[in-house]
Amino acid sequence: MHPAEPVDLLITPRWLIPVEPHAVTLEDHAVAVRNGRIVAVCPVAEAETRFAPAERTDLPDHVLIPGLVNLHTHAAMSLMRGIADDLPLMRWLQEAIWPAEAKHASADFVRDGTLLAAIEMLHGGITCANDMYFYPDAAADAFSQVGMRAVIGMTVIEFPTGYAADAEDYLRKGLAARDRWRGEGLLRFAFAPHAPYTVSDASFERIVQLAHELGCPVHMHLHETTHEITESIATCGQRPLARLERLGLLDTDLIAVHAVHLDLHEIETLAAHNCSIAHCPTSNMKLASGAAPIKAMVARGLRVALGTDGAASNNRLDMFQEMRHAALLAKVTTGDASAFDAHEALRSATLAGATALRMDNEIGSIVAGKAADLVAVSLASPECSPCFSPASHLVYAAGREHVTHVWIDGKPRIRDNTLLWQHNKELLQRVRVWQTFLKESASSQ
Ligand SMILES: [Zn+2]
């Protein structure tokens, strides 16, 4: 008999949903982790003879899932949670958000807001976020402090802010941040042009060229409202998606955020170009933007992943909520109760997001060789009992409050519901100071 193979960690959950293969729930299986990587997923009896773990975590009432991937957020906007609710998108942006950002957005604001968001996301089982905001250095610093995986947006917008003067300046600063954080294993960078209505043709052409040169994904809001589409037709004679196709954006495996208003031809075009949708059902409902046709997207092979959007338009950075809303909204808008089932929702919250970010060789499913980004959800409480199907519970019954353990790259970030980051108290004190500043500026308008 061979001597047992040393591993750092052996996790033995009651159930395990690896996401790959699709729609499989394993029982009595273990995950072995060494140097941050998943070494094996195998029956517990086999794991016990094969491995000599330095540490063992038994989870008798839990389902183990891959870390959730939030494919669209503006993390720092957590500081503006609840500042202006019950408004449509353009009034929300023009009357509330843009003035508050103009007055307060700074590196310190972004660092604190991103820390706050990262902590919320970790507690909710989100291990990777695709972020779009200003001051990417500060966002990168925050994600790196708490040890969360993130793709930092190199935001481009034509109008000046305190952060940058013009599109060229945004690009230059974003690329400089990318250079500074190179080698930080949990961080990557993506181009994040804000939206068709805030970015010029010339800037899009430059982004396409750079995206090909550097191999970075491109992430942008698209077809969020009917207003965006009618305005584009009025100003440049084309729907926004047609304009992006003409400019070459679709050849970058674009991550199109929202995509609420697409016709069948547009869905097929995006699918043919291997683009992905970051579906944000809660934000779309709250801003009354509409319901993205995700059943038609999935039927035509267009990848649908999920995002929370920022906390100012949601107001929870909660992927359990997004899974549930995506499933329910798909059913109510199509009259088909089988649309977007629980396993589809779980895949869209994990592997689909990882694939959209071109990180599916690293994260998104519990498979040997991938990074150990893992989340344990307890299903022992009365509201989760009895449990006939853990996948069904994850989407329709459980919530982020049932997340007990989170590992990223094999390292514990949440253990027994407790965040393993020591500076929570000081952060919450600073958040109270930001609240005072934001309240003063809101009341002085
Ligand atoms: Zn957004």
Side-chain angles (χ1 to χ4, degrees):
M1 192 175 151
H2 295 289
E5 194 183 321
V7 291
D8 301 324
L9 173 67
L10 192 70
I11 308 171
T12 58
R14 165 96 187 265
W15 301 280
L16 191 158
I17 304 181
V19 175
E20 273 183 301
H22 182 60
V24 165
T25 303
L26 302 170
E27 285 191 64
D28 300 318
H29 274 62
V31 178
V33 177
R34 185 171 52 230
N35 297 331
R37 298 260 148 196
I38 298 165
V39 177
V41 179
C42 62
V44 174
E46 181 188 328
E48 278 169 349
T49 55
R50 190 173 148 195
F51 299 112
E55 189 189 333
R56 182 175 168 140
T57 303
D58 294 319
L59 301 166
D61 301 309
H62 302 63
V63 54
L64 192 75
I65 57 172
L68 302 171
V69 178
N70 182 357
L71 193 61
H72 177 66
T73 193
H74 312 280
M77 293 181 83
S78 60
L79 288 175
M80 292 187 277
R81 192 195 319 265
I83 199 172
D85 291 334
D86 307 322
L87 291 173
L89 177 70
M90 289 321 289
R91 281 193 60 199
W92 177 78
L93 279 174
Q94 288 166 354
E95 294 173 23
I97 299 303
W98 285 342
E101 285 178 338
K103 199 152 181 189
H104 297 289
S106 65
D108 286 342
F109 179 95
V110 170
R111 188 176 295 101
D112 285 343
T114 307
L115 282 170
L116 188 66
I119 289 166
E120 179 186 0
M121 289 194 272
L122 284 176
H123 271 296
I126 298 169
T127 54
C128 178
N130 185 30
D131 189 42
M132 176 195 284
Y133 208 62
F134 309 109
Y135 300 94
D137 266 313
D141 181 34
F143 282 117
S144 132
Q145 279 190 50
V146 296
M148 184 171 161
R149 201 181 290 282
V151 179
I152 308 291
M154 296 181 279
T155 296
V156 179
I157 198 162
E158 297 296 330
F159 58 75
T161 57
Y163 165 62
D166 55 26
E168 190 56 42
D169 196 24
Y170 283 95
L171 264 179
R172 196 173 47 75
K173 287 180 169 150
L175 290 166
R178 177 177 174 270
D179 284 343
R180 275 193 290 279
W181 289 91
R182 202 185 290 266
E184 178 71 31
L186 295 178
L187 297 181
R188 304 227 185 149
F189 282 73
F191 291 103
H194 171 260
Y197 57 94
T198 49
V199 180
S200 70
D201 282 11
S203 299
F204 276 133
E205 281 166 355
R206 179 88 180 110
I207 289 166
V208 169
Q209 182 196 4
L210 286 166
H212 288 306
E213 270 175 38
L214 304 174
C216 289
V218 182
H219 161 215
M220 72 184 297
H221 300 106
L222 181 66
H223 285 211
E224 182 172 3
T225 61
T226 48
H227 174 77
E228 173 191 335
I229 296 171
T230 49
E231 191 164 88
S232 172
I233 293 169
T235 54
C236 61
Q238 275 185 308
R239 287 166 69 87
L241 183 61
R243 176 173 159 237
L244 296 187
E245 187 177 11
R246 169 170 61 78
L247 295 169
L249 261 293
L250 305 196
D251 301 320
T252 63
D253 303 344
L254 180 71
I255 299 167
V257 180
H258 300 308
V260 171
H261 304 281
L262 293 182
D263 61 31
L264 272 186
H265 170 71
E266 288 170 331
I267 291 173
E268 284 165 1
T269 302
L270 285 167
H273 284 83
N274 192 36
C275 299
S276 303
I277 303 302
H279 177 42
C280 305
T282 309
S283 174
N284 297 156
M285 288 195 280
K286 184 159 183 275
L287 296 169
S289 302
I294 59 170
K295 184 189 168 193
M297 292 172 180
V298 171
R300 281 158 187 80
L302 176 54
R303 188 178 305 107
V304 176
L306 298 180
T308 59
D309 213 346
S313 67
N314 182 311
N315 299 356
R316 297 161 66 102
L317 307 180
D318 178 355
M319 289 287 283
F320 284 82
Q321 173 173 267
E322 298 313 313
M323 286 196 283
R324 186 172 309 126
H325 281 169
L328 298 180
L329 195 56
K331 296 171 200 312
V332 77
T333 51
T334 58
D336 174 5
S338 69
F340 219 69
D341 66 23
H343 279 289
E344 188 75 57
L346 186 59
R347 182 169 61 183
S348 70
T350 54
L351 186 60
T355 308
L357 293 167
R358 302 180 192 160
M359 292 167 72
D360 50 314
N361 58 342
E362 282 287 304
I363 57 168
S365 59
I366 306 178
V367 169
K370 287 198 183 188
D373 286 15
L374 303 166
V375 171
V377 184
S378 169
L379 300 180
S381 55
E383 66 272 22
C384 293
S385 302
C387 178
F388 302 103
S389 160
S392 161
H393 267 22
L394 285 170
V395 176
Y396 300 117
R400 64 180 178 181
E401 66 275 21
H402 300 111
V403 169
T404 59
H405 294 68
V406 175
W407 292 266
I408 296 178
D409 244 1
K411 294 183 193 68
R413 300 295 182 222
I414 305 275
R415 187 191 282 141
D416 295 320
N417 305 85
T418 304
L419 177 73
L420 304 179
W421 186 71
Q422 305 300 328
H423 309 287
N424 235 346
K425 221 169 138 188
E426 302 99 277
L427 173 66
L428 290 175
Q429 280 165 358
R430 294 200 300 276
V431 168
R432 277 195 286 278
V433 175
W434 287 117
Q435 179 179 341
T436 309
F437 286 158
L438 285 156
K439 198 173 170 188
E440 279 166 9
S441 78
S443 57
S444 68
Q445 271 170 44

